[in-house]
Amino acid sequence: MVHVYNCHPFASQQIVPTEQEPGLVCCGGGALFVVSAGGCKIEAFQLGEEGCPLICRFATMGTVQSILHSEIGDYLVTIEEKNNAPYLRAYTNWRYQAAEKTRVGVRLLGHFLRGSSMRGAPKEQMEIIEIPLFERPLCVACCGVTGDLLVGCPKSLVLFSLKRQALNDKLSILDFERCLIIHLPGLSPQQVAICAGYIALQTELEVLVVKLERLPGAAFTQKSADKKPQDHSLVPQDMITGAEHDNETEGRREGLAGHRDHDDFFIFPKHQELLGDRAKDCGVKISLEWTGMESEARGNLIITYILYRRFAPDFFQDCSVEETHLHSLQFHPVFTSNQEVCVEGGRGVEPTCLFCFFSLPKTGYLYSVRGGVQMVSAYQYPEKAQQAVLTDLFLHIITKNALQCFSVRCAAVAARAEDPYIDTTMKACPPITMELCALRIQLFIGLKALCHYRHHIVLLTTADVETREDTERTARRVMNRKSPFTKPQNPSEMGHGWNLYVVNTVPPLQLYNEMVEYSKTYEETNPLSHSRLHLLSEAHLLLRATLLDPRVGNPVERPQTTGQNLAQALGYNTTRTTDRQELQQAFQESCAQLGDCFSRRRPTRCWISSVWPSRPSFPML
C-alpha cells in the first residue's frame, strides 16, 4: 500500500538555453552535459547558477550513442560510432575548454608523451583517450568511490582501473589500465553498474549482482599451490577449447530466452529470486581473466554471488510483452562517516550501506546488498514508468506525462547498520517495512529522459505540436460539416517541440516543516490516526537521512585528485545549504512528537514492537 500526500517536494524550475535539440543528457560535477540530436557536439551547463549558463562546448570524434560522467576524476566516457564502427572514449580536463583553450590531445590508452615536449611548462588541454576493446561496447558504468570504469560487451565485462600518472613535477594526467575481464557465457548485458567492488548487470528480464573479493595471503598461497600449471594462463582452459563454452551458451539461450516447439508454442522461464549463497545456482558461470600488470594479484581475486533475479513477462500488465523489460539499474551507496580515502591504488573506503535498484515498467525493486542481501521495498507505479533514479531522500520516476516522487527506506537501513541497538526502549527508528508514500505529482508533456545531481532533477521533454496552419485547418474542418472525411496530415507539415528543464527540489528542512503542518489536518479529525503517525514518521526519516549524510554542514571544495577525504572525493561543493544545528533541533522535535504519539496509542502490527517513550534519547549522528 502506498500513501499519497499532497506535499510539495519540487521547488522552482528553469529551462536550459540549448541552441539545438538535445539527444542525450547526463549530470555530474555540478554540470549538465547535453549531446545535440546530431550526436557530434557536447555542451556543458552550470547547474548551480541561475539560468544555467554555458560552461563550454566541444566536438566529439563520432556520433555519441551513450554518455556518462564520473565524479572521481571528473571525466566523461562516451560510446561513439563512426563509419559504422563503435569506439569507447574518455574525455578528461574538459573544463579547460571554458577558458577558450582549444588545444585538444588525442592518445591511446596507456600511452603518454614523455619526450622533450613535456619538459617545459605543463600543457593545459583537454585530452581524448581512445580505449580499445575486442568486443563491441554496449554500456558503461563508473564507480562512485574509486572512479573505475566498467564496460559491458556482448559476452563479457571489462574493468578499467583509474590511475593518475605523473609526467613531471608539475603535470599529472589521468589514465586507465585494463585490469580484469569477466567472461559471461550466454549473457549479454544491456545495463551495468559498479560500486566499491560490487558489480551488477542487467538483461531484458534478468539481474545479477556479484562482488569481487580478494582472498587473504594465506588462502592465496594455498590456492596457488594447488593449481595446475595450465590454470595460470590468462585465458581459462574452457575458452581455449571452445566446446564447453559453446554448450553453456546454447543451454542458457534455450533455458532463459525460451524456445519454440513443433506446435509453435513459446515457453517463457518462470520467476526466480536467489539471494546470498543461493545466487550461485542461477546457472551463470563466470570466469575471470586478469590482465593487470600486478601479476601477484591474479590468483587471489574471486567472485561472490550476491543476488540473482529473473522475471517472466506479465501478460496482465498494461504494456505488451515486447515492452516488458528491465530498466534503470543503479547502485546507491550511503556513507555515514567522513573517513579518509586511501591514496594507494585509488581505493576508497567501502560505504556503510549499498543499495541496488532496478525496475520493470510497473514495479520497482530496491535491495540492500551490503552486510547481507534483502529486499527493502517494492514500488507499484500507477502508470508505466519510463525511467527511475534513486537518491538519498526519494525515488523519482517519470511516466509519459508526469514526474513522481516516492519515499525510500535507505535511512532506516543505514541507521540500523550504524547503530545495531537502535530498536530498544531508550531509542527507536521507524522500521524498514513501513509502508511507502508518494508526494505531489508534477505534470509535463512528452517526458523522455531523467537524470539527477544532488538537489537538481533534469528532464528532457519532446512532444509533437501543431503549427499555426494546422490549427487553422482543423478549425475550418470543424466549421465545414459537409466534409465526409479528414485528410491525414503529412509528417513533414508537423511541428516539433522540445524542452530541457532543471527542477530544483525543496530543502529537507522546509519539506519536513510542510509534512508536520500537513499532519495537523489528520490530528483535527483523529489525533491517533494511522495517517498522521505515518506522515510524521516519513518526516522523521527525511531528517535522519539528511543528518546521516556527511556532506551536510561540512563545507569542502570539489577535489582535483582522488586522494582527499571522502566528502571531497564524492564531488561536494562549498555551499552550506542548511545549518546542521537547525537540522539537529528539528530532529529532536521530531523524536518528541513521535514519542508523544506512541505514548498515546497501543503498538500495532504495522510498527516495531518497542514503544518510544515520550522523551526518547537521541542517537549521535
Side-chain angles (χ1 to χ4, degrees):
M1 179 179 178
V2 177
H3 296 257
V4 181
Y5 301 114
N6 192 22
C7 297
H8 299 74
F10 308 117
S12 61
Q13 67 183 38
Q14 52 187 334
I15 297 179
V16 182
T18 57
E19 297 180 355
Q20 299 180 358
E21 179 181 358
L24 298 172
V25 293
C26 76
C27 300
L32 168 64
F33 303 94
V34 181
V35 181
S36 60
C40 295
K41 183 177 68 173
I42 297 178
E43 295 178 320
F45 299 88
Q46 187 69 41
L47 279 176
E49 298 184 10
E50 185 68 24
C52 297
L54 179 69
I55 300 176
C56 63
R57 62 167 56 96
F58 52 90
T60 61
M61 300 183 67
T63 304
V64 179
Q65 306 292 332
S66 175
I67 183 172
L68 187 64
H69 178 268
S70 173
E71 294 285 348
I72 309 299
D74 194 26
Y75 66 88
L76 286 169
V77 57
T78 62
I79 298 178
E80 304 177 15
E81 185 175 354
K82 186 174 183 180
N83 298 329
N84 296 326
Y87 297 91
L88 182 66
R89 297 185 172 100
Y91 293 77
T92 65
N93 298 334
W94 56 271
R95 296 182 187 270
Y96 286 141
Q97 297 298 100
E100 298 181 356
K101 297 179 180 180
T102 59
R103 182 165 48 186
V104 177
V106 182
R107 62 181 175 86
L108 194 63
L109 176 75
H111 290 70
F112 322 107
L113 293 176
R114 298 180 180 271
S116 59
S117 60
M118 304 303 296
R119 295 175 183 174
K123 291 183 177 180
E124 295 181 347
Q125 63 180 13
M126 184 180 75
E127 286 194 330
I128 304 176
I129 304 176
E130 295 277 355
I131 304 178
L133 293 169
F134 293 104
E135 296 182 271
R136 180 185 183 92
L138 302 177
C139 47
V140 293
C142 299
C143 179
V145 178
T146 63
D148 293 346
L149 175 64
L150 182 67
V151 184
C153 299
K155 296 180 181 179
S156 63
L157 303 178
V158 185
L159 180 61
F160 295 87
S161 61
L162 178 65
K163 295 184 179 296
R164 181 169 292 274
Q165 301 288 344
L167 298 183
N168 51 42
D169 296 338
K170 297 182 179 180
L171 181 61
S172 63
I173 61 176
L174 291 178
D175 195 40
F176 298 89
E177 179 187 0
R178 188 179 64 178
C179 58
L180 184 66
I181 299 178
I182 304 175
H183 296 279
L184 306 169
L187 205 62
S188 180
Q190 295 185 348
Q191 285 188 347
V192 292
I194 179 173
C195 184
Y198 289 83
I199 293 177
L201 62 96
Q202 172 185 291
T203 63
E204 287 189 357
L205 295 173
E206 292 178 277
V207 174
L208 176 64
V209 180
V210 297
K211 182 182 180 182
L212 294 174
E213 292 183 311
R214 295 186 183 276
L215 293 174
F220 162 66
T221 303
Q222 182 66 26
K223 185 176 180 180
S224 300
D226 295 338
K227 280 188 175 183
K228 297 180 180 180
Q230 60 268 24
D231 293 338
H232 289 278
S233 59
L234 293 180
V235 183
Q237 187 67 23
D238 58 346
M239 295 188 61
I240 298 177
T241 58
E244 183 178 353
H245 172 75
D246 295 338
N247 294 334
E248 292 178 357
T249 302
E250 295 299 328
R252 281 194 54 81
R253 288 177 179 174
E254 294 180 1
L256 300 180
H259 64 277
R260 295 180 181 273
D261 58 11
H262 299 288
D263 296 330
D264 291 334
F265 286 101
F266 197 86
I267 302 176
F268 290 99
K270 63 180 181 178
H271 289 279
Q272 189 176 18
E273 182 186 31
L274 302 175
L275 305 179
D277 295 336
R278 296 181 54 199
K280 61 184 179 181
D281 300 327
C282 62
V284 181
K285 296 183 179 180
I286 298 177
S287 59
L288 302 180
E289 178 184 351
W290 183 263
T291 59
M293 298 299 294
E294 301 176 2
S295 59
E296 66 274 6
R298 294 182 180 181
N300 63 342
L301 197 65
I302 61 173
I303 285 285
T304 301
Y305 289 81
I306 303 296
L307 165 67
Y308 174 79
R309 181 136 191 194
R310 182 179 65 205
F311 298 89
D314 192 351
F315 293 93
F316 298 99
Q317 289 189 349
D318 296 337
C319 52
S320 62
V321 178
E322 290 77 10
E323 296 175 339
T324 305
H325 58 84
L326 293 163
H327 62 82
S328 303
L329 178 67
Q330 178 185 353
F331 272 140
H332 181 68
V334 174
F335 300 89
T336 59
S337 59
N338 196 3
Q339 300 179 7
E340 294 293 328
V341 175
C342 178
V343 181
E344 182 179 357
R347 304 291 110 183
V349 296
E350 293 189 356
T352 304
C353 296
L354 183 62
F355 300 91
C356 181
F357 176 82
F358 50 88
S359 179
L360 285 170
K362 296 299 291 291
T363 309
Y365 300 91
L366 178 63
Y367 284 85
S368 175
V369 296
R370 176 169 166 77
V373 58
Q374 63 172 333
M375 187 173 74
V376 178
S377 304
Y379 295 87
Q380 299 293 333
Y381 310 138
E383 300 178 59
K384 176 185 173 183
Q386 298 179 351
Q387 194 175 353
V389 60
L390 180 66
T391 67
D392 292 333
L393 304 179
F394 295 106
L395 172 69
H396 301 286
I397 70 165
I398 56 170
T399 62
K400 184 178 181 181
N401 295 312
L403 169 64
Q404 300 183 15
C405 177
F406 293 89
S407 61
V408 294
R409 298 291 170 258
C410 299
V413 177
R416 287 167 172 82
E418 190 179 44
D419 186 3
Y421 303 100
I422 199 170
D423 294 326
T424 62
T425 57
M426 296 303 298
K427 52 186 176 180
C429 177
I432 301 173
T433 57
M434 188 177 68
E435 298 170 343
L436 302 170
C437 82
L439 301 182
R440 184 181 179 92
I441 298 175
Q442 194 81 8
L443 298 179
F444 293 87
I445 298 177
L447 285 169
K448 298 297 181 182
L450 164 71
C451 63
H452 173 270
Y453 178 74
R454 295 203 330 211
H455 60 278
H456 303 290
I457 299 174
V458 179
L459 302 172
L460 174 61
T461 63
T462 304
D464 293 330
V465 295
E466 293 184 348
T467 61
R468 181 178 179 181
E469 292 76 8
D470 296 329
T471 305
E472 295 176 354
R473 190 183 300 111
T474 303
R476 289 195 298 268
R477 290 198 189 101
V478 174
M479 298 299 297
N480 186 9
R481 301 292 182 180
K482 297 181 181 180
S483 178
F485 62 92
T486 301
K487 180 181 178 181
Q489 296 181 352
N490 189 351
S492 62
E493 298 177 355
M494 295 294 294
H496 194 74
W498 51 267
N499 276 311
L500 190 61
Y501 297 95
V502 175
V503 181
N504 300 320
T505 57
V506 174
L509 186 58
Q510 179 180 343
L511 184 58
Y512 163 78
N513 293 328
E514 183 180 356
M515 288 182 172
V516 173
E517 290 295 325
Y518 192 84
S519 66
K520 295 180 180 179
T521 59
Y522 298 105
E523 185 179 7
E524 296 175 356
T525 57
N526 183 8
L528 303 180
S529 65
H530 177 70
S531 296
R532 175 174 178 266
L533 177 62
H534 183 269
L535 187 56
L536 289 176
S537 301
E538 290 286 2
H540 176 83
L541 287 178
L542 181 66
L543 291 180
R544 186 180 287 273
T546 307
L547 289 171
L548 286 174
D549 192 345
R551 295 172 292 187
V552 176
N554 297 322
V556 292
E557 298 180 356
R558 187 184 60 81
Q560 298 299 327
T561 63
T562 60
Q564 303 181 13
N565 61 46
L566 179 61
Q568 293 175 329
L570 294 179
Y572 307 142
N573 65 2
T574 59
T575 303
R576 180 179 295 188
T577 58
T578 305
D579 191 0
R580 192 176 186 88
Q581 294 182 355
E582 296 180 3
L583 287 170
Q584 189 67 39
Q585 182 179 359
F587 178 76
Q588 294 178 359
E589 294 175 356
S590 175
C591 291
Q593 290 176 352
L594 285 175
D596 180 71
C597 190
F598 272 103
S599 64
R600 293 174 180 269
R601 56 179 291 152
R602 299 168 59 185
T604 57
R605 291 191 302 174
C606 65
W607 271 105
I608 54 177
S609 58
S610 61
V611 181
W612 291 19
S614 58
R615 293 185 180 273
S617 62
F618 310 113
M620 300 300 295
L621 298 181

